Amino acid sequence: MSLADSQSRPDGPARGRPRSEVVERAIVEGVMRLLEEGVPLAELSIERIARTAGVGKATIYRRWSGKEELFVDVVRTAEPPDPELPGTSMRDDLIALLEQLRQRGLMTRSSAILHNVYAQMKSTPKVWAAYHASVVEPRRRLQVEVLRRGQRDGELRADVDVELLNDILVGPMLLRTVMRPDADLPDGLAEQVVDTLLEGLRPVSSPPA
Amino acid sequence: MSLADSQSRPDGPARGRPRSEVVERAIVEGVMRLLEEGVPLAELSIERIARTAGVGKATIYRRWSGKEELFVDVVRTAEPPDPELPGTSMRDDLIALLEQLRQRGLMTRSSAILHNVYAQMKSTPKVWAAYHASVVEPRRRLQVEVLRRGQRDGELRADVDVELLNDILVGPMLLRTVMRPDADLPDGLAEQVVDTLLEGLRPVSSPPA
């Protein structure tokens, strides 16, 4: 979710005015600048962020409950936006979802900062939990929903465990991004994963002549 | 590979005598003890390890080129051993390989030390590279070989990209172990992953009456 999207959250703090958006952007960019300068996450105090962004600490606390929530918004802003689901078929929706993960993987690789940010995030349990709750988990729920719809529409076997299938779909992208940074994330990988799974692994018996 | 296995490496240093094995074990256990006491990887010097194990530094350097190589052996000793492949079919071999990953995942979860060790390893590029080269990569090559044999034996479609399929198989186990420590790693998960992939996702058209 981008900052623009978060403006329209009905239950969030009032962020509708352009002035507010400018301030928010300055804060997020301030954090990004500090990270680019190599300041470790542990030393990113609200005080220091406020100083860098040229705002008061209260201005930050009015928008974010703390460092963790702010930091997660910074990461979210740096990541590729959530995809528009074409809605034409389960296959197309899954490819769109995996393609976003692929883009995110490519971005993590090309950006030393983002790479560093993920690593720090993972070793800081509170931040990781916040990122998980507000980014990873909604993404996972959306994908599971796409799979459930596929089952209803007859595109997916009824006996497949959709929670497991979700991990099977996401696994290779994460594996290549996180564990094997030397592995390829080529164009068309999302499609290849989805179609390999759809087709299954067993050789097709030759059709009757 | 266990320490016992490494004894028989023809090109390694002579480690055949029991005395040598005892010393090796004392060193590996010394490192484990330091980790259990919460000493961070960065502070694990060869000097400190030698003191803890009651050996001289030269004794360690005779066996390991440095801290990284020693540390990887410590992790390998703590992990479940590589599985015996039944060799009865591609399906059975794959299940055995994934079951070992599941066991490793369960172990990582139940052991705070091991969990901590993996986290530190990942944030120490030299150690991660050594672990990757001597543990992850051989395991990956073995699994790819199982898939290639499956293709030759007609258990696996000839047009499936085995490198990708390998990541699809391993992905969900790693995802649940590393990224979603709250997710289930139930008995039978290895079998479920393999069979889901073998069957494919498309609903089976009903057989002719």
Side-chain angles (χ1 to χ4, degrees), chain B residues 59-122:
Chain B
T59 306
I60 297 181
Y61 280 120
R62 217 172 295 134
R63 285 162 176 82
W64 292 278
S65 66
K67 196 173 101 170
E68 290 76 24
E69 212 202 305
L70 165 55
F71 188 72
V72 169
D73 260 0
V74 171
V75 174
R76 192 149 55 184
T77 308
E79 287 188 352
D82 280 352
E84 291 279 329
L85 296 188
T88 38
S89 67
M90 178 187 79
R91 175 177 178 274
D92 295 345
D93 285 356
L94 290 177
I95 290 172
L97 287 162
L98 291 197
E99 176 61 16
Q100 194 240 13
L101 278 185
R102 189 181 77 92
Q103 293 294 343
R104 182 169 163 269
L106 288 174
M107 209 177 249
T108 312
R109 284 180 186 191
S110 63
S111 155
I113 309 151
L114 210 54
H115 187 84
N116 176 16
V117 163
Y118 285 121
Q120 292 196 55
M121 201 155 66
K122 260 170 238 166

Short mmCIF file of all heavy atoms in Angstrom, two decimals, chain B residues 59-122:
data_model
loop_
_atom_site.label_atom_id
_atom_site.label_comp_id
_atom_site.label_asym_id
_atom_site.label_seq_id
_atom_site.Cartn_x
_atom_site.Cartn_y
_atom_site.Cartn_z
N THR B 59 46.07 -26.25 17.08
CA THR B 59 45.26 -27.47 16.95
C THR B 59 44.00 -27.19 16.14
O THR B 59 43.55 -28.03 15.36
CB THR B 59 44.87 -28.00 18.35
OG1 THR B 59 46.07 -28.15 19.11
CG2 THR B 59 44.14 -29.32 18.28
N ILE B 60 43.44 -26.01 16.35
CA ILE B 60 42.25 -25.64 15.57
C ILE B 60 42.63 -25.36 14.12
O ILE B 60 42.00 -25.88 13.19
CB ILE B 60 41.56 -24.41 16.20
CG1 ILE B 60 41.07 -24.77 17.62
CG2 ILE B 60 40.40 -23.92 15.32
CD1 ILE B 60 40.36 -23.64 18.33
N TYR B 61 43.68 -24.59 13.93
CA TYR B 61 44.06 -24.21 12.56
C TYR B 61 44.52 -25.42 11.75
O TYR B 61 44.50 -25.39 10.52
CB TYR B 61 45.15 -23.14 12.58
CG TYR B 61 44.58 -21.75 12.82
CD1 TYR B 61 44.97 -20.98 13.92
CD2 TYR B 61 43.64 -21.21 11.93
CE1 TYR B 61 44.46 -19.72 14.13
CE2 TYR B 61 43.11 -19.95 12.15
CZ TYR B 61 43.52 -19.21 13.24
OH TYR B 61 42.99 -17.96 13.44
N ARG B 62 44.96 -26.49 12.43
CA ARG B 62 45.34 -27.68 11.70
C ARG B 62 44.10 -28.34 11.08
O ARG B 62 44.18 -29.07 10.10
CB ARG B 62 46.02 -28.68 12.65
CG ARG B 62 47.17 -29.44 12.01
CD ARG B 62 47.92 -30.26 13.05
NE ARG B 62 48.57 -29.42 14.05
CZ ARG B 62 48.54 -29.64 15.37
NH1 ARG B 62 47.86 -30.66 15.86
NH2 ARG B 62 49.16 -28.85 16.21
N ARG B 63 42.92 -28.09 11.67
CA ARG B 63 41.70 -28.75 11.21
C ARG B 63 40.80 -27.87 10.36
O ARG B 63 40.08 -28.36 9.49
CB ARG B 63 40.91 -29.27 12.41
CG ARG B 63 41.53 -30.50 13.02
CD ARG B 63 41.05 -30.77 14.41
NE ARG B 63 41.62 -32.02 14.91
CZ ARG B 63 42.84 -32.11 15.44
NH1 ARG B 63 43.60 -31.04 15.52
NH2 ARG B 63 43.30 -33.27 15.87
N TRP B 64 40.78 -26.59 10.67
CA TRP B 64 39.90 -25.68 9.93
C TRP B 64 40.72 -24.47 9.47
O TRP B 64 41.58 -23.98 10.22
CB TRP B 64 38.75 -25.22 10.82
CG TRP B 64 37.77 -26.31 11.18
CD1 TRP B 64 36.74 -26.76 10.41
CD2 TRP B 64 37.75 -27.10 12.39
NE1 TRP B 64 36.06 -27.77 11.06
CE2 TRP B 64 36.66 -28.00 12.29
CE3 TRP B 64 38.53 -27.14 13.55
CZ2 TRP B 64 36.34 -28.91 13.27
CZ3 TRP B 64 38.21 -28.05 14.54
CH2 TRP B 64 37.13 -28.93 14.41
N SER B 65 40.38 -24.00 8.27
CA SER B 65 41.16 -22.87 7.75
C SER B 65 40.88 -21.59 8.54
O SER B 65 41.67 -20.67 8.54
CB SER B 65 40.84 -22.66 6.27
OG SER B 65 39.50 -22.24 6.15
N GLY B 66 39.75 -21.55 9.19
CA GLY B 66 39.44 -20.34 9.95
C GLY B 66 38.11 -20.49 10.66
O GLY B 66 37.47 -21.54 10.64
N LYS B 67 37.69 -19.41 11.27
CA LYS B 67 36.48 -19.38 12.05
C LYS B 67 35.25 -19.78 11.24
O LYS B 67 34.38 -20.50 11.73
CB LYS B 67 36.32 -17.94 12.56
CG LYS B 67 35.37 -17.76 13.68
CD LYS B 67 35.45 -16.32 14.18
CE LYS B 67 34.31 -15.51 13.63
NZ LYS B 67 34.22 -14.18 14.30
N GLU B 68 35.21 -19.33 9.99
CA GLU B 68 34.03 -19.58 9.15
C GLU B 68 33.83 -21.08 8.94
O GLU B 68 32.74 -21.61 9.12
CB GLU B 68 34.14 -18.88 7.78
CG GLU B 68 34.04 -17.37 7.83
CD GLU B 68 35.31 -16.70 8.35
OE1 GLU B 68 36.39 -17.31 8.23
OE2 GLU B 68 35.23 -15.58 8.89
N GLU B 69 34.93 -21.74 8.55
CA GLU B 69 34.84 -23.16 8.23
C GLU B 69 34.47 -23.96 9.49
O GLU B 69 33.63 -24.86 9.44
CB GLU B 69 36.18 -23.64 7.67
CG GLU B 69 36.05 -24.75 6.65
CD GLU B 69 37.35 -25.54 6.52
OE1 GLU B 69 38.40 -24.93 6.26
OE2 GLU B 69 37.31 -26.78 6.71
N LEU B 70 35.07 -23.60 10.60
CA LEU B 70 34.76 -24.27 11.87
C LEU B 70 33.29 -24.06 12.23
O LEU B 70 32.57 -25.00 12.59
CB LEU B 70 35.66 -23.71 12.98
CG LEU B 70 35.26 -24.03 14.43
CD1 LEU B 70 35.09 -25.54 14.65
CD2 LEU B 70 36.31 -23.49 15.40
N PHE B 71 32.84 -22.84 12.10
CA PHE B 71 31.47 -22.52 12.48
C PHE B 71 30.46 -23.31 11.64
O PHE B 71 29.46 -23.81 12.16
CB PHE B 71 31.25 -21.02 12.32
CG PHE B 71 29.95 -20.56 12.87
CD1 PHE B 71 29.73 -20.53 14.23
CD2 PHE B 71 28.92 -20.17 12.02
CE1 PHE B 71 28.53 -20.12 14.75
CE2 PHE B 71 27.71 -19.77 12.54
CZ PHE B 71 27.51 -19.74 13.89
N VAL B 72 30.74 -23.44 10.35
CA VAL B 72 29.85 -24.19 9.48
C VAL B 72 29.80 -25.66 9.91
O VAL B 72 28.74 -26.28 9.92
CB VAL B 72 30.29 -24.06 8.00
CG1 VAL B 72 29.55 -25.05 7.11
CG2 VAL B 72 30.05 -22.64 7.51
N ASP B 73 30.95 -26.22 10.33
CA ASP B 73 30.97 -27.60 10.83
C ASP B 73 30.14 -27.73 12.10
O ASP B 73 29.49 -28.75 12.32
CB ASP B 73 32.40 -28.06 11.10
CG ASP B 73 32.95 -28.92 9.96
OD1 ASP B 73 32.19 -29.15 8.98
OD2 ASP B 73 34.10 -29.36 10.02
N VAL B 74 30.16 -26.71 12.93
CA VAL B 74 29.37 -26.73 14.15
C VAL B 74 27.87 -26.78 13.80
O VAL B 74 27.12 -27.60 14.34
CB VAL B 74 29.66 -25.49 15.03
CG1 VAL B 74 28.67 -25.40 16.19
CG2 VAL B 74 31.09 -25.53 15.54
N VAL B 75 27.47 -25.95 12.86
CA VAL B 75 26.06 -25.93 12.45
C VAL B 75 25.67 -27.26 11.84
O VAL B 75 24.62 -27.82 12.14
CB VAL B 75 25.79 -24.78 11.45
CG1 VAL B 75 24.37 -24.83 10.92
CG2 VAL B 75 26.08 -23.44 12.10
N ARG B 76 26.55 -27.79 11.01
CA ARG B 76 26.27 -29.05 10.34
C ARG B 76 26.10 -30.18 11.35
O ARG B 76 25.28 -31.07 11.19
CB ARG B 76 27.43 -29.37 9.39
CG ARG B 76 27.14 -30.48 8.45
CD ARG B 76 27.86 -30.29 7.15
NE ARG B 76 29.30 -30.12 7.35
CZ ARG B 76 30.14 -29.86 6.34
NH1 ARG B 76 29.69 -29.72 5.12
NH2 ARG B 76 31.42 -29.73 6.57
N THR B 77 26.90 -30.15 12.40
CA THR B 77 26.79 -31.17 13.43
C THR B 77 25.46 -31.06 14.18
O THR B 77 24.89 -32.07 14.60
CB THR B 77 27.96 -31.02 14.44
OG1 THR B 77 29.19 -31.00 13.70
CG2 THR B 77 28.00 -32.16 15.42
N ALA B 78 24.97 -29.83 14.31
CA ALA B 78 23.72 -29.62 15.04
C ALA B 78 22.50 -29.94 14.20
O ALA B 78 21.42 -30.22 14.72
CB ALA B 78 23.65 -28.17 15.53
N GLU B 79 22.65 -29.92 12.88
CA GLU B 79 21.51 -30.17 11.99
C GLU B 79 21.22 -31.66 11.88
O GLU B 79 22.11 -32.48 12.10
CB GLU B 79 21.81 -29.63 10.59
CG GLU B 79 21.75 -28.13 10.52
CD GLU B 79 21.86 -27.63 9.08
OE1 GLU B 79 22.12 -28.44 8.18
OE2 GLU B 79 21.68 -26.43 8.88
N PRO B 80 19.97 -32.01 11.50
CA PRO B 80 19.70 -33.44 11.25
C PRO B 80 20.60 -33.93 10.11
O PRO B 80 20.91 -33.17 9.20
CB PRO B 80 18.22 -33.46 10.85
CG PRO B 80 17.81 -32.05 10.65
CD PRO B 80 18.81 -31.17 11.27
N PRO B 81 21.04 -35.19 10.18
CA PRO B 81 21.94 -35.70 9.15
C PRO B 81 21.25 -35.79 7.78
O PRO B 81 20.02 -35.85 7.71
CB PRO B 81 22.31 -37.09 9.66
CG PRO B 81 21.19 -37.47 10.56
CD PRO B 81 20.68 -36.20 11.18
N ASP B 82 22.05 -35.80 6.73
CA ASP B 82 21.49 -35.97 5.40
C ASP B 82 20.77 -37.31 5.34
O ASP B 82 21.22 -38.29 5.92
CB ASP B 82 22.61 -35.94 4.35
CG ASP B 82 23.02 -34.50 4.04
OD1 ASP B 82 22.33 -33.58 4.52
OD2 ASP B 82 24.03 -34.30 3.35
N PRO B 83 19.62 -37.35 4.63
CA PRO B 83 18.82 -38.58 4.63
C PRO B 83 19.44 -39.64 3.73
O PRO B 83 20.16 -39.34 2.80
CB PRO B 83 17.50 -38.11 4.04
CG PRO B 83 17.86 -36.97 3.15
CD PRO B 83 19.03 -36.29 3.79
N GLU B 84 19.15 -40.89 4.07
CA GLU B 84 19.39 -42.00 3.13
C GLU B 84 18.30 -41.92 2.08
O GLU B 84 17.11 -41.91 2.43
CB GLU B 84 19.25 -43.34 3.85
CG GLU B 84 20.30 -43.65 4.87
CD GLU B 84 21.57 -44.18 4.20
OE1 GLU B 84 21.46 -44.83 3.14
OE2 GLU B 84 22.66 -43.92 4.75
N LEU B 85 18.65 -41.89 0.82
CA LEU B 85 17.60 -41.89 -0.21
C LEU B 85 17.14 -43.32 -0.44
O LEU B 85 17.97 -44.20 -0.68
CB LEU B 85 18.14 -41.30 -1.50
CG LEU B 85 18.55 -39.82 -1.43
CD1 LEU B 85 18.88 -39.30 -2.82
CD2 LEU B 85 17.45 -38.98 -0.79
N PRO B 86 15.82 -43.57 -0.36
CA PRO B 86 15.35 -44.95 -0.57
C PRO B 86 15.66 -45.47 -1.97
O PRO B 86 15.89 -46.66 -2.16
CB PRO B 86 13.84 -44.86 -0.32
CG PRO B 86 13.50 -43.40 -0.33
CD PRO B 86 14.74 -42.65 -0.02
N GLY B 87 15.67 -44.57 -2.97
CA GLY B 87 16.03 -45.00 -4.32
C GLY B 87 14.96 -45.81 -5.01
O GLY B 87 15.17 -46.36 -6.09
N THR B 88 13.78 -45.89 -4.39
CA THR B 88 12.71 -46.70 -4.97
C THR B 88 11.94 -45.95 -6.07
O THR B 88 11.40 -46.55 -6.98
CB THR B 88 11.73 -47.13 -3.87
OG1 THR B 88 11.58 -46.04 -2.95
CG2 THR B 88 12.30 -48.31 -3.10
N SER B 89 11.87 -44.62 -5.94
CA SER B 89 11.23 -43.81 -6.97
C SER B 89 11.62 -42.35 -6.74
O SER B 89 12.09 -41.99 -5.66
CB SER B 89 9.70 -43.93 -6.90
OG SER B 89 9.23 -43.35 -5.69
N MET B 90 11.39 -41.51 -7.74
CA MET B 90 11.65 -40.08 -7.58
C MET B 90 10.80 -39.54 -6.44
O MET B 90 11.28 -38.79 -5.59
CB MET B 90 11.32 -39.33 -8.87
CG MET B 90 11.52 -37.81 -8.76
SD MET B 90 10.94 -36.91 -10.23
CE MET B 90 9.16 -36.89 -9.94
N ARG B 91 9.54 -39.98 -6.42
CA ARG B 91 8.63 -39.50 -5.37
C ARG B 91 9.19 -39.81 -3.99
O ARG B 91 9.24 -38.94 -3.12
CB ARG B 91 7.26 -40.15 -5.56
CG ARG B 91 6.26 -39.83 -4.45
CD ARG B 91 4.90 -40.45 -4.72
NE ARG B 91 4.00 -40.16 -3.61
CZ ARG B 91 3.92 -40.90 -2.49
NH1 ARG B 91 4.68 -41.97 -2.35
NH2 ARG B 91 3.09 -40.55 -1.53
N ASP B 92 9.63 -41.04 -3.76
CA ASP B 92 10.13 -41.43 -2.44
C ASP B 92 11.40 -40.66 -2.08
O ASP B 92 11.56 -40.23 -0.93
CB ASP B 92 10.42 -42.94 -2.41
CG ASP B 92 9.14 -43.77 -2.57
OD1 ASP B 92 8.05 -43.20 -2.42
OD2 ASP B 92 9.25 -44.97 -2.86
N ASP B 93 12.29 -40.48 -3.05
CA ASP B 93 13.53 -39.75 -2.78
C ASP B 93 13.22 -38.28 -2.44
O ASP B 93 13.81 -37.71 -1.52
CB ASP B 93 14.47 -39.81 -3.98
CG ASP B 93 15.13 -41.18 -4.11
OD1 ASP B 93 14.91 -42.03 -3.23
OD2 ASP B 93 15.88 -41.39 -5.08
N LEU B 94 12.30 -37.70 -3.17
CA LEU B 94 11.95 -36.30 -2.91
C LEU B 94 11.34 -36.14 -1.52
O LEU B 94 11.64 -35.19 -0.80
CB LEU B 94 10.97 -35.78 -3.96
CG LEU B 94 11.53 -35.57 -5.37
CD1 LEU B 94 10.41 -35.11 -6.31
CD2 LEU B 94 12.67 -34.56 -5.37
N ILE B 95 10.49 -37.08 -1.16
CA ILE B 95 9.87 -37.01 0.17
C ILE B 95 10.94 -37.11 1.25
O ILE B 95 10.92 -36.35 2.23
CB ILE B 95 8.79 -38.12 0.32
CG1 ILE B 95 7.58 -37.78 -0.57
CG2 ILE B 95 8.35 -38.25 1.78
CD1 ILE B 95 6.54 -38.87 -0.66
N ALA B 96 11.93 -38.00 1.06
CA ALA B 96 13.00 -38.12 2.05
C ALA B 96 13.79 -36.81 2.16
O ALA B 96 14.13 -36.36 3.26
CB ALA B 96 13.94 -39.28 1.66
N LEU B 97 14.06 -36.19 1.03
CA LEU B 97 14.83 -34.94 1.05
C LEU B 97 14.04 -33.81 1.72
O LEU B 97 14.58 -33.04 2.52
CB LEU B 97 15.21 -34.53 -0.38
CG LEU B 97 16.33 -35.39 -1.02
CD1 LEU B 97 16.35 -35.23 -2.53
CD2 LEU B 97 17.69 -35.02 -0.41
N LEU B 98 12.75 -33.71 1.41
CA LEU B 98 11.93 -32.66 2.02
C LEU B 98 11.70 -32.93 3.50
O LEU B 98 11.60 -32.00 4.30
CB LEU B 98 10.59 -32.51 1.29
CG LEU B 98 10.64 -31.95 -0.14
CD1 LEU B 98 9.25 -31.47 -0.55
CD2 LEU B 98 11.63 -30.82 -0.29
N GLU B 99 11.60 -34.20 3.84
CA GLU B 99 11.41 -34.55 5.25
C GLU B 99 12.62 -34.08 6.08
O GLU B 99 12.46 -33.60 7.20
CB GLU B 99 11.19 -36.06 5.40
CG GLU B 99 11.06 -36.56 6.84
CD GLU B 99 9.89 -35.96 7.62
OE1 GLU B 99 8.97 -35.38 7.02
OE2 GLU B 99 9.92 -36.07 8.87
N GLN B 100 13.81 -34.17 5.51
CA GLN B 100 14.98 -33.70 6.24
C GLN B 100 14.89 -32.17 6.45
O GLN B 100 15.24 -31.67 7.51
CB GLN B 100 16.26 -34.07 5.50
CG GLN B 100 17.50 -33.90 6.39
CD GLN B 100 18.49 -32.91 5.81
OE1 GLN B 100 18.19 -32.16 4.88
NE2 GLN B 100 19.68 -32.91 6.38
N LEU B 101 14.42 -31.48 5.44
CA LEU B 101 14.26 -30.02 5.58
C LEU B 101 13.21 -29.69 6.64
O LEU B 101 13.35 -28.74 7.40
CB LEU B 101 13.84 -29.39 4.26
CG LEU B 101 14.93 -29.10 3.24
CD1 LEU B 101 14.34 -28.37 2.05
CD2 LEU B 101 16.05 -28.27 3.87
N ARG B 102 12.15 -30.51 6.68
CA ARG B 102 11.12 -30.29 7.70
C ARG B 102 11.71 -30.51 9.10
O ARG B 102 11.48 -29.71 10.01
CB ARG B 102 9.95 -31.25 7.46
CG ARG B 102 8.73 -30.96 8.34
CD ARG B 102 7.61 -31.96 8.08
NE ARG B 102 7.88 -33.24 8.71
CZ ARG B 102 7.48 -33.59 9.95
NH1 ARG B 102 6.77 -32.74 10.67
NH2 ARG B 102 7.77 -34.77 10.44
N GLN B 103 12.48 -31.59 9.24
CA GLN B 103 13.12 -31.85 10.53
C GLN B 103 14.04 -30.70 10.93
O GLN B 103 14.07 -30.28 12.09
CB GLN B 103 13.95 -33.15 10.47
CG GLN B 103 13.12 -34.41 10.30
CD GLN B 103 12.25 -34.69 11.51
OE1 GLN B 103 12.46 -34.16 12.59
NE2 GLN B 103 11.22 -35.50 11.32
N ARG B 104 14.76 -30.20 9.94
CA ARG B 104 15.65 -29.08 10.19
C ARG B 104 14.84 -27.86 10.64
O ARG B 104 15.23 -27.13 11.55
CB ARG B 104 16.42 -28.79 8.90
CG ARG B 104 17.43 -27.68 9.01
CD ARG B 104 18.30 -27.68 7.75
NE ARG B 104 19.00 -26.42 7.63
CZ ARG B 104 18.52 -25.38 6.97
NH1 ARG B 104 17.35 -25.42 6.37
NH2 ARG B 104 19.21 -24.25 6.92
N GLY B 105 13.70 -27.66 9.98
CA GLY B 105 12.84 -26.55 10.36
C GLY B 105 12.33 -26.69 11.78
O GLY B 105 12.36 -25.73 12.56
N LEU B 106 11.87 -27.88 12.13
CA LEU B 106 11.37 -28.12 13.49
C LEU B 106 12.48 -27.88 14.51
O LEU B 106 12.25 -27.30 15.57
CB LEU B 106 10.87 -29.56 13.62
CG LEU B 106 9.55 -29.88 12.90
CD1 LEU B 106 9.26 -31.37 12.99
CD2 LEU B 106 8.40 -29.07 13.49
N MET B 107 13.67 -28.33 14.18
CA MET B 107 14.80 -28.19 15.09
C MET B 107 15.15 -26.70 15.29
O MET B 107 15.42 -26.25 16.40
CB MET B 107 15.98 -28.93 14.47
CG MET B 107 16.95 -29.47 15.48
SD MET B 107 18.24 -30.39 14.61
CE MET B 107 17.88 -32.04 15.12
N THR B 108 15.15 -25.98 14.20
CA THR B 108 15.45 -24.54 14.28
C THR B 108 14.46 -23.84 15.18
O THR B 108 14.80 -22.93 15.92
CB THR B 108 15.37 -23.90 12.88
OG1 THR B 108 16.10 -24.69 11.98
CG2 THR B 108 15.94 -22.49 12.90
N ARG B 109 13.20 -24.28 15.09
CA ARG B 109 12.17 -23.64 15.90
C ARG B 109 12.31 -23.95 17.37
O ARG B 109 12.07 -23.10 18.21
CB ARG B 109 10.80 -24.13 15.47
CG ARG B 109 10.40 -23.51 14.20
CD ARG B 109 9.05 -24.04 13.82
NE ARG B 109 8.73 -23.54 12.52
CZ ARG B 109 7.55 -23.64 11.98
NH1 ARG B 109 6.58 -24.23 12.65
NH2 ARG B 109 7.31 -23.16 10.81
N SER B 110 12.66 -25.23 17.65
CA SER B 110 12.67 -25.64 19.05
C SER B 110 13.96 -25.20 19.74
O SER B 110 14.02 -25.13 20.95
CB SER B 110 12.49 -27.15 19.16
OG SER B 110 13.58 -27.79 18.54
N SER B 111 14.99 -24.92 18.94
CA SER B 111 16.26 -24.56 19.56
C SER B 111 16.53 -23.07 19.39
O SER B 111 16.79 -22.59 18.28
CB SER B 111 17.38 -25.38 18.91
OG SER B 111 18.61 -24.71 19.03
N ALA B 112 16.49 -22.36 20.49
CA ALA B 112 16.74 -20.92 20.44
C ALA B 112 18.15 -20.64 19.94
O ALA B 112 18.39 -19.68 19.21
CB ALA B 112 16.54 -20.30 21.81
N ILE B 113 19.07 -21.53 20.32
CA ILE B 113 20.47 -21.32 19.89
C ILE B 113 20.59 -21.46 18.38
O ILE B 113 21.17 -20.61 17.70
CB ILE B 113 21.42 -22.36 20.53
CG1 ILE B 113 21.20 -22.39 22.04
CG2 ILE B 113 22.86 -22.05 20.19
CD1 ILE B 113 21.51 -23.75 22.62
N LEU B 114 20.03 -22.55 17.86
CA LEU B 114 20.15 -22.80 16.43
C LEU B 114 19.49 -21.65 15.66
O LEU B 114 20.02 -21.17 14.66
CB LEU B 114 19.48 -24.14 16.09
CG LEU B 114 20.06 -24.89 14.91
CD1 LEU B 114 21.55 -25.09 15.05
CD2 LEU B 114 19.40 -26.25 14.74
N HIS B 115 18.35 -21.21 16.15
CA HIS B 115 17.64 -20.10 15.52
C HIS B 115 18.55 -18.87 15.45
O HIS B 115 18.69 -18.22 14.43
CB HIS B 115 16.39 -19.78 16.32
CG HIS B 115 15.50 -18.78 15.68
ND1 HIS B 115 14.58 -19.10 14.71
CD2 HIS B 115 15.44 -17.44 15.83
CE1 HIS B 115 13.98 -18.01 14.32
NE2 HIS B 115 14.48 -16.99 14.97
N ASN B 116 19.17 -18.61 16.57
CA ASN B 116 20.07 -17.47 16.71
C ASN B 116 21.29 -17.64 15.80
O ASN B 116 21.75 -16.69 15.15
CB ASN B 116 20.46 -17.39 18.20
CG ASN B 116 21.47 -16.31 18.48
OD1 ASN B 116 21.67 -15.43 17.65
ND2 ASN B 116 22.10 -16.38 19.62
N VAL B 117 21.78 -18.89 15.72
CA VAL B 117 22.95 -19.16 14.89
C VAL B 117 22.66 -18.89 13.42
O VAL B 117 23.44 -18.26 12.72
CB VAL B 117 23.42 -20.62 15.10
CG1 VAL B 117 24.35 -21.06 13.98
CG2 VAL B 117 24.11 -20.76 16.45
N TYR B 118 21.49 -19.34 12.95
CA TYR B 118 21.14 -19.10 11.55
C TYR B 118 21.04 -17.60 11.28
O TYR B 118 21.49 -17.10 10.26
CB TYR B 118 19.80 -19.77 11.19
CG TYR B 118 19.90 -21.26 11.01
CD1 TYR B 118 19.13 -22.12 11.79
CD2 TYR B 118 20.73 -21.83 10.06
CE1 TYR B 118 19.21 -23.50 11.64
CE2 TYR B 118 20.82 -23.21 9.90
CZ TYR B 118 20.06 -24.04 10.69
OH TYR B 118 20.13 -25.39 10.54
N ALA B 119 20.41 -16.88 12.21
CA ALA B 119 20.24 -15.44 12.02
C ALA B 119 21.60 -14.75 11.93
O ALA B 119 21.83 -13.91 11.05
CB ALA B 119 19.42 -14.85 13.16
N GLN B 120 22.51 -15.14 12.82
CA GLN B 120 23.83 -14.52 12.80
C GLN B 120 24.60 -14.89 11.55
O GLN B 120 25.33 -14.09 10.98
CB GLN B 120 24.64 -14.95 14.02
CG GLN B 120 24.09 -14.43 15.32
CD GLN B 120 25.13 -14.56 16.43
OE1 GLN B 120 26.24 -14.07 16.32
NE2 GLN B 120 24.76 -15.25 17.48
N MET B 121 24.42 -16.15 11.14
CA MET B 121 25.11 -16.63 9.97
C MET B 121 24.71 -15.81 8.74
O MET B 121 25.55 -15.43 7.94
CB MET B 121 24.72 -18.10 9.77
CG MET B 121 25.68 -18.88 8.95
SD MET B 121 25.58 -20.64 9.36
CE MET B 121 23.95 -21.07 8.81
N LYS B 122 23.41 -15.54 8.65
CA LYS B 122 22.92 -14.83 7.47
C LYS B 122 23.42 -13.39 7.43
O LYS B 122 23.54 -12.81 6.37
CB LYS B 122 21.39 -14.87 7.44
CG LYS B 122 20.91 -15.95 6.48
CD LYS B 122 19.43 -16.18 6.60
CE LYS B 122 19.20 -17.64 6.95
NZ LYS B 122 17.84 -17.89 7.41
#
